[in-house]
Amino acid sequence: MSTTGEKPVVLSLEGATIQFGGLIAVNNATFELQQGDLFGLIGPNGAGKTTCFNLITGVYKPTSGTIRFQGKEIGGLTPAKIAQMGICRTFQNIRLFPALSVVENVVVGAFLRHRTTLGSAFAYLPSSIRETSALKKEAMDLLEVMDLADVAQARSADLPYGKQRRLEIARAMATRPDLILLDEPAAGMNPQEKEDLQVTVRRIRDDFQKTVLLIEHDMRFVMGLCERIFVLDHGEEIAQGPPEKIRNDPKVIEAYLGEAV
Ligand SMILES: Nc1ncnc2c1ncn2[C@@H]1O[C@H](COP(=O)(O)OP(=O)(O)OP(=O)(O)O)[C@@H](O)[C@H]1O
Ligand SMILES: [Mg+2]
């Protein structure tokens, strides 16, 4: 594993590019996350942020460029393989099993350590009751961390939106990833929920030693949480660096014209 300074490099993109027909959705993305980074990926709508996640998690194969996780090239590997290697994500549009309880959704995440896809993990559930009870304990511990223990038995579909987002993070954590990708985790949350989520994401890094890459539109949220930020606009990097540099960058201000950065 290569290192920069003291900390190992967990994820690196070098010239990662993907083209859909005539559209270059991500062009030459180059950035690096070190172990324990809280790294933000921002940019206006359609900038290519979710597409970056799709490249990193194997949903799309890069047209060119390299993506390395813990020193190994992962560009073009299957999503299942990449998940097994230790990258997990949440989705911009929440993807839970709505009919399952909150705790069961997290148990499904834990099954992913043994199975390759959410679907097969789900199918495996009824035949492994003993393992399930051990995993349920682990899932309950995660729900404590995510402040969801009191709704553990509720149907996930009945949770308010903000709690569903926290549950997705709990399920991702249950796969025991080294790197967790959060696609707009604060979307739809009220200011108090956002503040609480900041505390939780910091805990994920500090107490669980995860590296976190997150996409978020709420500038206050990103600037208050992330130590480094990469800014995309129309698939191109327009800036990267610490929040104070990003906040004052003329290109970033222009891309977000009219919004408080
Ligand atoms: N599979 C695909 N086929 C064709 N075009 C795509 C595909 N996936 C994404 N795109 C296009 O790539 C561009 C970037 O999309 P992406 O979803 O990555 O944006 P984003 O930065 O996540 O935006 P938002 O903030 O709205 O979520 C958009 O123009 C989108 O239409
Ligand atoms: Mg998106």
Side-chain angles (χ1 to χ4, degrees):
M1 205 187 303
S2 61
T3 56
T4 302
E6 300 281 304
K7 292 189 285 181
V9 174
V10 173
L11 178 76
S12 68
L13 277 72
E14 279 172 35
T17 298
I18 185 161
Q19 188 162 359
F20 299 112
L23 175 81
I24 302 178
V26 176
N27 192 18
N28 203 23
T30 301
F31 61 87
E32 186 175 279
L33 270 69
Q34 296 171 23
Q35 182 123 41
D37 274 350
L38 278 178
F39 194 102
L41 179 54
I42 68 170
N45 289 117
K49 305 178 298 294
T50 297
T51 304
C52 275
F53 274 22
N54 286 332
L55 288 171
I56 295 164
T57 57
V59 175
Y60 299 138
K61 183 176 164 49
T63 312
S64 59
T66 58
I67 303 175
R68 287 197 187 85
F69 175 60
Q70 294 171 338
K72 297 186 195 80
E73 168 78 74
I74 58 166
L77 297 182
T78 63
K81 176 72 190 154
I82 291 171
Q84 270 173 2
M85 290 171 81
I87 301 181
C88 197
R89 75 182 289 185
T90 64
F91 293 90
Q92 188 166 354
N93 304 310
I94 294 170
R95 293 189 194 175
L96 293 167
F97 292 108
L100 293 187
S101 71
V102 167
V103 68
E104 284 165 343
N105 265 278
V106 181
V107 169
V108 171
F111 268 112
L112 279 174
R113 293 204 299 269
H114 311 289
R115 304 278 122 181
T116 51
T117 65
L118 272 182
S120 63
F122 184 53
Y124 185 63
L125 266 182
S127 62
S128 54
I129 301 303
R130 246 175 311 156
E131 192 176 359
T132 305
S133 59
L135 295 179
K136 263 195 174 156
K137 159 87 178 70
E138 184 186 328
M140 283 306 299
D141 292 345
L142 274 172
L143 290 176
E144 286 286 345
V145 174
M146 297 306 298
D147 231 349
L148 292 168
D150 56 329
V151 291
Q153 304 309 327
R155 253 169 40 110
S156 68
D158 295 337
L159 292 186
Y161 198 66
K163 288 193 177 180
Q164 290 193 21
R165 289 220 168 268
R166 299 177 78 86
L167 176 54
E168 267 221 315
I169 299 173
R171 187 179 65 185
M173 288 282 289
T175 69
R176 295 195 188 156
D178 295 317
L179 170 64
I180 182 161
L181 311 184
L182 306 176
D183 197 343
E184 302 198 25
M189 289 189 170
N190 66 39
Q192 183 59 52
E193 286 174 324
K194 285 182 186 180
E195 255 179 58
D196 295 344
L197 183 64
Q198 279 190 330
V199 173
T200 305
V201 175
R202 265 192 217 104
R203 277 197 71 189
I204 288 172
R205 191 270 302 274
D206 295 339
D207 298 352
F208 293 83
Q209 274 88 49
K210 308 295 181 198
T211 304
V212 181
L213 173 59
L214 69 91
I215 295 172
E216 189 46 63
H217 277 291
D218 184 315
M219 287 303 142
R220 258 180 68 120
F221 186 91
V222 179
M223 300 280 170
L225 184 62
C226 297
E227 292 122 1
R228 288 196 304 129
I229 296 170
F230 183 88
V231 192
L232 272 177
D233 190 19
H234 298 293
E236 307 270 351
E237 171 183 340
I238 56 170
Q240 67 173 303
E244 54 277 16
K245 177 177 168 218
I246 298 301
R247 194 180 280 124
N248 298 310
D249 187 296
K251 282 192 190 159
V252 178
I253 293 168
E254 195 188 327
Y256 282 97
L257 213 60
E259 291 181 40
V261 179

